Amino acid sequence: KKKLPLVNKKVLVTAGPTYEAIDPVRFIGNHSSGKMGFALADELASLGADVTLIAGPVALKSKYNSIKRIDVTSAADMLTACLDNFADADACVMCAAVADYTPAQVATQKIKKTEDHFNIELKKTTDILKTLGAQKRDDQVLVGFALETNNEELHAKEKLQKKNLDLIVLNSLNDSGAGFKSDTNKVTLIDRNLNKTVYDLKSKTEVAHDICLKVTQLLTK
Ligand code: C5P
């Protein structure tokens, strides 16, 4: 029997959206389903990796009991969970749709409907991927995602460099059947040397397989 390629490799995966509280009953969120990240975690586990899955609020379940799941709500929670687990990880695949902005203040009581116009002040969240990129060791592999609507490749390459990634997975909203809620995705992988591979539209399970092959190459080279 062939040995699984990722045995003894620890891989951290983030998945799903984050919810940023406005008050005790409301939040700012996004349409991320978590399907791509969960498919990645399943695929990595099937290759023998020791997977920790940091999941935003989603109702999904993993295929394997061996996957260690950490449920988080906000971008700040996700950052803490990532930092707690980063040093131990051989690879990190950051698939979550992390909020870029969060309310500057969280109201302690439910906000009343009084004003005709109402503003919520937002402040930037910490870019988790960039933070990890800045503390990455040479032996660690860091993978990010980019969802772009225009100048996709240029923006993805800029992110790869700015965040010190080994690989970026570009998914374009311009491709039908790709992105947020669907069960399919169409991706382009770009590595550190700016080598680019364009894939066909496939199920997220198959896309996860393609991404994990590349991650395996990066981890075992
Ligand atoms: O810069 P942008 O948000 O488009 O980058 C997307 C990538 O960065 C994704 O891999 C996402 O998981 C990650 N990210 C993050 N923390 C943020 C924002 C994005 O880890 N606050």
Side-chain angles (χ1 to χ4, degrees), residues 14 94-100 125-129 144-146 148 159 163:
T14 64
M94 310 298 277
C95 193
V98 185
D100 292 324
T125 57
T126 302
D127 189 321
I128 301 169
L129 187 55
F145 278 70
E148 304 290 340
K159 270 173 206 177
K163 303 191 190 197

Side-chain angles (χ1 to χ4, degrees), residues 60-74:
L60 301 175
K61 278 205 164 75
S62 287
K63 257 206 246 167
Y64 303 97
N65 291 327
S66 63
I67 296 174
K68 180 182 158 217
R69 172 148 171 195
I70 302 172
D71 286 305
V72 298
T73 304
S74 66

Side-chain angles (χ1 to χ4, degrees), residues 162-213:
K162 215 174 64 191
K163 303 191 190 197
N164 191 26
L165 310 181
D166 299 287
L167 185 70
I168 192 152
V169 182
L170 168 62
N171 30 106
S172 171
L173 272 184
N174 296 330
D175 293 312
S176 67
F180 274 150
K181 293 216 161 139
S182 77
D183 289 318
T184 52
N185 202 3
K186 185 172 178 351
V187 301
T188 299
L189 301 188
I190 306 172
D191 69 20
R192 274 187 98 81
N193 306 318
L194 302 185
N195 289 322
K196 183 183 102 172
T197 317
V198 182
Y199 294 87
D200 293 333
L201 183 76
K202 313 176 175 195
S203 73
K204 285 185 173 171
T205 304
E206 291 170 301
V207 172
H209 181 78
D210 293 336
I211 294 168
C212 291
L213 276 182

